[in-house]
Amino acid sequence: MARRLPRKDVVIVGFGWTGAIMANELTDEGLEVIAFERGPWRDAPTDFPPGYMQDELRYRIRHELFLRPDQLTFTFRNTMGQTALPIRSWGAFMPPNGVGGGGVHWNAEMWRFLPSDFVLKTHLTERYGAAFMPEDMTIQDWGVTYDELEPHYDRFEYLCGTSGTAGNLNGKIMDGGNPFEGPRSRPYPTPAQAQPFSHTLFGKAARELGYKPFPQPSGNLSQAYQNPLGMRLGPCTYCGFCEWFGCANYSKATPQTTILPYLIRKSNFSLRDNSEVIRINVDRSGKRATGVTFVDSSGEEWEQQADLVILSAYTMFNVQLLLHSQIGQPYDPATNTGVVGRNYTHQTISSVNGFFDNKKFNFNPFIASGSIGMCIDEFNGDNFDHGPHGFVGGGYVGQVQTGARPIESTLVPPGTPSWGAEWKKAVKDNYLSTVKPGTGVHGSFYA
Amino acid sequence: MKQATSTTITLRRRVFLAGTAMLLFSATTVKAATIEGRLPWAPNAGNPPPPVKLGPWEFFNGDEGRAMEALVDCIIPPDPETPGGKDAGCAVFIDRQLAGPYGRQEGLYVRPPFQAGAKNQGHQSANGPAQDYREGLAAFDRACKQRSNGKAFSELSGDDKVAVLKALEKGELKLDGVDGKSFFTQLVKDVQMGFFADPIYGGNRDLVAWKMIGYPGARYNYLDWVSRHNERFPLPPVGMTGNAQWTRS
C-alpha cells in the first residue's frame, strides 16, 4: 500500500522546460505545486563545470546526461509486421533524464513554427486540394494559431534571452532576418551570435544564389542578459560542447539558468528528484485524475493526491503513462482510431560533408555554439510550391555545424581507407578544412 | 491488456531500482530528495572522471595485450611526426574501457528476451563489449595461427599484419564462431576513439592526436577567435588535467 504525501493543488510529472514553466505560472496563481522528476538534480557547478565538461567520451559517446535504458526503455520496430524488440542502448533517439530534462543538453535552436504550420491541414488543402495528401496521412490543424501564440513565443524568447535577427517585425520584412517567419511583436532580446568562418561562407554563397540567409536563432547568448525573472546569463564562449553537454558558463537558456533559481524560492513549490511517477490515479468514474503514484530511489511507493495532474515529460513518456494508467483510447494505426499516441512524429536531418583545400581554408571548426550557423528557409514548411513535386513538408537548409569534437569529427574524404597510414594522413590533412554533419537540412515529419 | 500493464509496472520498478544503483559515474544525487527553498549545493560535490592509472592490464591477459598492441599500431601506424596507436595508449584505453562500466554494459538494457532483430533494432545479444573482445581476440588468434604456420598476430611482419587485417576487413579471413568483419569494425572504432578521447582515459597520450590535427582540446573560450576567419588558432592543446608542459620543467 502506497504511503500518502500531503495533498497539493498541482502535480507536475517530469521537470524539464514544460514542467518548469508550468510550475512557475501556477505558483504565481497561488497554487501549491509539487513536481516529480525521475532523474537526478543537475547543475553546472557539480555536473558539468568548465573543468571537465569538455569530455566527448563521457557526455557524447557514453551518454552521461541521458536516461539509462536499464532504468527505462522502449521496444521498437519499423513496421507493424515486425516483432518489437527492446532498445538496449540509445541510437539516434535519446531520451533525457534529470532536472531540466532535455533543456540541459539541447542545442537551444529557437525557431518558431511557421504560421502555416499551425493550420497545416487547412492550409495544404486550400493550396493543393484535398486529393494532394495521401489517404493515410492524419495531419490536423493544431487548434491554436500563430497570432494567438505570438505573445507566448515572445515571452519565452525574452525569458531565454534568445539571440537572433528579426526577419518580420510587426509585418515589416527586415533585412538580414528570416523573411518567411511569422510577424514578431518585438526584435529578439539579444543580437545574433557571431558566426565562424564556414558558417559565414554558407551565408555568402546562399546570398549570391539569390536566397535570404539569416543567423540561426540561438538560446546560446551573444551577450550578457538579465531576464524578466532577474536571472543573469553570460555570453556564449563558442566552446563547441553544447548539444549532448551541459553548459558550464550559464550561457545557454535552460530551466536551471532562466527559471529554477527564481522558482525554488517560492514557498508553494517543491521538487522531488529520483522519483518516478508510475501511474496516474483516477476516481471511480475514470474521468477525473486524483493524483499520481510514484516510486522513490529506495523502491518505496508513494501516492500524491492533487486536483490537477500535468504531464510534462517527453511525449513518449506521457503516452506511456496514460497507457499504463488506462486513460483514454490507445491509437490503433490499423483502424485509425484512438487518440493516445496518435500523430507522434520525430525530426528528420540530412547532412553532407564538405572537404575543402587545406591550403586555402582553415575553419577552426571546433569554435561554435549549439545553435550557431547561417540558414535559409526557402525550402521549409510550405515556403515553396509543392505542386509539381508530389510531397509536402520541408526543412531549413544551413551550415549549422556545432563544433568539431575529435572522436566524431575526424572525417576523411570518400575512398580513403578506414584505418592505417593513409587514414591517419587524411585525418591530419582534413580536420581543419572540413565542414561536417550539421551542414544540411533539418525538417519535420508529417504523420 | 490489464495484466500486461501491471507486469510492466512491476518490471519497471525493478528496472528503476537497478538503474539508480548503477549510475555510470555514480551521479551526484542517487537518493530521492525533496528540493525546496534553495538550490541544492554541497561543497566538493563535483564528479570528475578518475584518470586511468598506468600499469598492468586490467582486462586483457598477456597474449591479448600483445595482440592488441600490435593491432592498434596497424590501425594507427606511427609516422615521423606522430606516434602510432601503441605509444599513444590506444590499447590501454580499450583495456580500461573494457574493465570499466562500458565493458560491463552498465546502464544498458541487458535483460532477456534476446531475439535476433532487424538491423535498425540495434544490438540484441546478451554479450557486451568485454565478452565480444574476449571471444573475438581468441578467434582471431586461432585464425592467425592457422594461416601463418602457428605464428601469433604480433609475431608477423608488418606487411603480413596489414594483409591479415585487410582480409579480416573484407570478410575473407573467417573467425570461428565470431563475425570477424563486425569485430574488426568495432576494433577500428574503439582504437580511433581512444586516439581522440581526452588523455585522462589512457589514449591520446601527451595529446599527440590533438596536436596532429590541430584541435586545441578542453579549452572553453573562443570569444576572441570566433570572428578571426581563416587564421590558424595558435595555442597548443590542453586536456582536462591540463598540459604536460605546465607541470614538467
Side-chain angles (χ1 to χ4, degrees), chain B residues 6-203:
Chain B
S6 67
T7 315
T8 318
I9 289 171
T10 322
L11 177 67
R12 284 180 58 225
R13 281 190 53 199
R14 259 187 270 125
V15 166
F16 175 79
L17 294 177
T20 40
M22 298 202 304
L23 295 180
L24 281 187
F25 287 86
S26 70
T28 44
T29 317
V30 176
K31 278 193 171 164
T34 300
I35 298 163
E36 55 191 343
R38 51 182 281 273
L39 296 180
W41 189 86
N44 305 316
N47 188 20
V52 306
K53 291 193 182 75
L54 292 181
W57 299 117
E58 291 181 11
F59 175 80
F60 297 128
N61 63 34
D63 286 343
E64 289 170 340
R66 267 185 295 281
M68 280 299 295
E69 291 197 322
L71 282 164
V72 301
D73 241 15
C74 278
I75 290 165
I76 305 180
D79 64 53
E81 285 165 21
T82 307
K86 182 184 167 187
D87 287 344
C90 293
V92 174
F93 169 83
I94 296 175
D95 177 74
R96 302 305 194 263
Q97 289 292 309
L98 293 175
Y102 170 71
R104 292 192 297 271
Q105 302 192 81
E106 265 185 34
L108 303 189
Y109 189 78
V110 286
R111 290 150 199 272
F114 293 101
Q115 187 179 328
K119 197 178 168 222
N120 282 356
Q121 291 176 301
H123 185 71
Q124 288 294 338
S125 138
N127 272 12
Q131 211 163 344
D132 285 345
Y133 266 87
R134 187 123 285 152
E135 290 171 10
L137 286 172
F140 178 65
D141 185 55
R142 288 194 297 273
C144 271
K145 285 177 175 162
Q146 202 169 20
R147 184 187 158 110
S148 320
N149 298 320
K151 277 190 186 169
F153 181 75
S154 59
E155 296 161 345
L156 301 177
S157 74
D159 286 350
D160 284 349
K161 282 180 189 156
V162 170
V164 165
L165 292 191
K166 281 188 173 163
L168 186 63
E169 183 183 31
K170 285 182 195 146
E172 289 164 11
L173 178 67
K174 302 278 184 216
L175 303 191
D176 178 23
V178 169
D179 178 348
K181 224 172 147 175
S182 301
F183 174 65
F184 186 67
T185 304
Q186 188 63 47
L187 180 68
V188 168
K189 195 175 156 190
D190 291 342
V191 173
Q192 294 173 351
M193 189 182 288
F195 196 57
F196 291 119
D198 192 281
I200 205 167
Y201 296 109

Side-chain angles (χ1 to χ4, degrees), chain A residues 140-219:
Chain A
Q140 298 166 47
D141 294 351
W142 278 97
V144 58
T145 64
Y146 176 84
D147 290 341
E148 286 168 335
L149 213 57
E150 202 285 331
H152 304 283
Y153 272 132
D154 177 79
R155 196 168 159 208
F156 184 59
E157 286 163 358
Y158 274 74
L159 181 82
C160 292
T162 312
S163 300
T165 304
N168 182 338
L169 205 50
N170 292 308
K172 189 176 174 223
I173 301 301
M174 309 293 288
D175 202 33
N178 177 4
F180 295 94
E181 71 177 0
R184 55 179 66 245
S185 49
R186 287 192 281 179
Y188 285 99
T190 56
Q193 286 202 281
Q195 298 295 338
F197 184 34
S198 67
H199 310 71
T200 311
L201 284 184
F202 178 91
K204 182 169 177 278
R207 203 172 299 115
E208 284 167 7
L209 289 168
Y211 298 112
K212 297 274 195 296
F214 56 91
Q216 179 166 224
S218 174

Side-chain angles (χ1 to χ4, degrees), chain B residues 192-249:
Chain B
Q192 294 173 351
M193 189 182 288
F195 196 57
F196 291 119
D198 192 281
I200 205 167
Y201 296 109
N204 191 16
R205 199 171 288 163
D206 293 333
L207 307 153
V208 290
W210 292 356
K211 276 178 210 157
M212 177 181 97
I213 59 175
Y215 173 63
R219 294 184 181 276
Y220 205 71
N221 190 337
Y222 298 114
L223 266 169
D224 293 345
W225 275 85
V226 62
S227 298
R228 290 178 71 163
H229 292 169
N230 216 6
E231 279 184 64
R232 177 94 185 213
F233 184 79
L235 300 177
V238 290
M240 283 189 281
T241 52
N243 183 315
Q245 289 165 359
W246 298 351
T247 47
R248 283 180 202 162
S249 54

Side-chain angles (χ1 to χ4, degrees), chain A residues 350-373:
Chain A
S350 51
S351 61
V352 291
N353 303 324
F355 296 94
F356 288 73
D357 181 346
N358 66 7
K359 290 182 193 68
K360 291 185 188 157
F361 296 93
N362 178 345
F363 296 126
N364 288 330
F366 43 83
I367 301 177
S369 80
S371 47
I372 199 79

Side-chain angles (χ1 to χ4, degrees), chain A residues 247-265:
Chain A
C247 180
N249 203 51
Y250 297 84
S251 314
K252 175 157 68 173
T254 70
Q256 276 85 335
T257 56
T258 62
I259 299 174
L260 248 172
Y262 173 81
L263 171 64
I264 202 73
R265 289 202 293 263

